[in-house]
Amino acid sequence: AQSVTQLGSHVSVSEGALVLLRCNYSSSVPPYLFWYVQYPNQGLQLLLKYTSAATLVKGINGFEAEFKKSETSFHLTKPSAHMSDAAEYFCAVTDSPYDRGSTLGRLYFGRGTQLTVWP
Amino acid sequence: NAGVTQTPKFRILKIGQSMTLQCTQDMNHNYMYWYRQDPGMGLKLIYYSVGAGITDKGEVPNGYNVSRSTTEDFPLRLELAAPSQTSVYFCASSYGTGSGMNTEAFFGQGTRLTVV
C-alpha cells in the first residue's frame, strides 16, 4: 500500500508571499499524484494531478506542483498567496498502474496541511 | 450536473442506533468510495467498489457495511453506532480505468455524523 507524508500540519504565510506545501510518497514505482483543496464545511476539490506526462503540473487558482522522482516528492507551490487560498490541502496518490494487482482509482491521502494567509 | 450527492448533511445518532448514509452519482463512474475524515488524520478509506455487485474493504471497515446494487448508488450502513464513529463521511467516485487521466475522484459535500 502507498503512504503519503505531508510535512507540516499548519503553514502560515503573508498575503503575497510564496506558498510551499510539501508532499512525499513512498512508492518506488511512480504512482499518480493529486492535490486536493478543502474549504471549511465543503467537500474536496481537485487542484491538480500528475499522471506521468509533464513533471511540472499547473492547476487551478495559480497553483502548480513538480513531480520529482529522485526525491519521491510532489510539492505544491503558488508564487503569491491570496486570502482566498486559506484552506486545508491534501496530497493523495494512487497505486501505481505498473504494479500487478493495483486498484487504480483508490486514493491514499496525507494528513493534510492547513494553510493560513495573513493580511 | 449534480456530480456526487450525499444525504443527509448532518445527523446525530444515539449509541447503538443504526443508519444508512446515502450516496449517488450521475457520472456513470465505475469506482465509488467511502472515506471518513477525522481532524489531523486526513481521509481514511472505509470501503470501495469497482462496479455494481463488487465491494471491498478499505483501511477502516469495522462497524460499517456497504452494498452496490446499481452503478449510481453506494450506501454506507452503520449497524450499531459507537462514539468512535463520530466523523465526517465523504463519498467519492471515479472512472478508475487504466488511464491516469481518468483516476480523478469527485467528492460529495460530506455527512457530519455525531454519535452520543
Side-chain angles (χ1 to χ4, degrees):
Chain A
Q2 298 279 357
S3 70
V4 180
T5 302
Q6 289 184 241
L7 289 176
S9 58
H10 290 85
V11 170
S12 296
V13 299
S14 299
E15 194 171 22
L18 171 72
V19 175
L20 171 60
L21 305 182
R22 298 177 187 275
C23 173
N24 289 86
Y25 62 92
S26 63
S27 174
S28 59
V29 182
Y32 296 144
L33 296 135
F34 306 83
W35 275 99
Y36 284 86
V37 60
Q38 184 182 33
Y39 298 102
N41 300 314
Q42 301 277 319
L44 277 73
Q45 178 185 1
L46 182 71
L47 268 180
L48 48 80
K49 58 185 176 184
Y50 167 77
T51 55
S52 71
T55 56
L56 183 62
V57 181
K58 294 186 184 299
I60 62 172
N61 301 338
F63 284 93
E64 62 182 36
E66 186 172 7
F67 172 71
K68 291 188 176 180
K69 181 179 176 182
S70 61
E71 299 177 7
T72 61
S73 70
F74 191 56
H75 301 330
L76 181 71
T77 60
K78 182 174 180 178
S80 178
H82 192 273
M83 297 291 288
S84 61
D85 295 327
E88 189 156 23
Y89 292 81
F90 292 94
C91 182
V93 304
T94 64
D95 285 329
S96 169
Y98 305 105
D99 280 345
R100 289 180 182 274
S102 67
T103 303
L104 281 186
R106 177 173 172 172
L107 282 168
Y108 301 86
F109 283 87
R111 294 192 172 194
T113 298
Q114 182 67 47
L115 176 66
T116 300
V117 182
W118 300 102
Chain B
N1 281 341
V4 179
T5 302
Q6 291 182 235
T7 57
K9 288 186 168 53
F10 304 93
R11 183 72 185 267
I12 298 174
L13 276 184
K14 293 183 178 179
I15 294 172
Q17 286 185 320
S18 62
M19 76 164 293
T20 299
L21 282 67
Q22 302 291 346
C23 175
T24 187
Q25 53 93 7
D26 62 359
M27 297 172 281
N28 202 32
H29 285 167
N30 291 324
Y31 281 39
M32 296 188 74
Y33 316 84
W34 276 105
Y35 291 89
R36 60 176 287 173
Q37 183 182 26
D38 301 297
M41 299 300 293
L43 280 76
K44 300 291 187 186
L45 183 65
I46 305 171
Y47 271 95
Y48 67 101
S49 168
V50 302
I54 306 169
T55 62
D56 206 350
K57 296 177 180 179
E59 301 168 75
V60 290
N62 292 343
Y64 307 95
N65 279 299
V66 293
S67 60
R68 184 94 181 272
S69 56
T70 66
T71 299
E72 295 78 20
D73 300 307
F74 190 43
L76 178 72
R77 178 86 177 159
L78 283 70
E79 292 294 349
L80 290 170
S84 60
Q85 294 176 306
T86 294
S87 187
V88 181
Y89 292 83
F90 287 100
C91 180
S93 72
S94 71
Y95 284 111
T97 69
S99 166
M101 298 302 291
N102 291 335
T103 56
E104 171 189 348
F106 294 81
F107 284 79
Q109 293 296 296
T111 296
R112 189 174 297 273
L113 175 67
T114 302
V115 181
V116 296

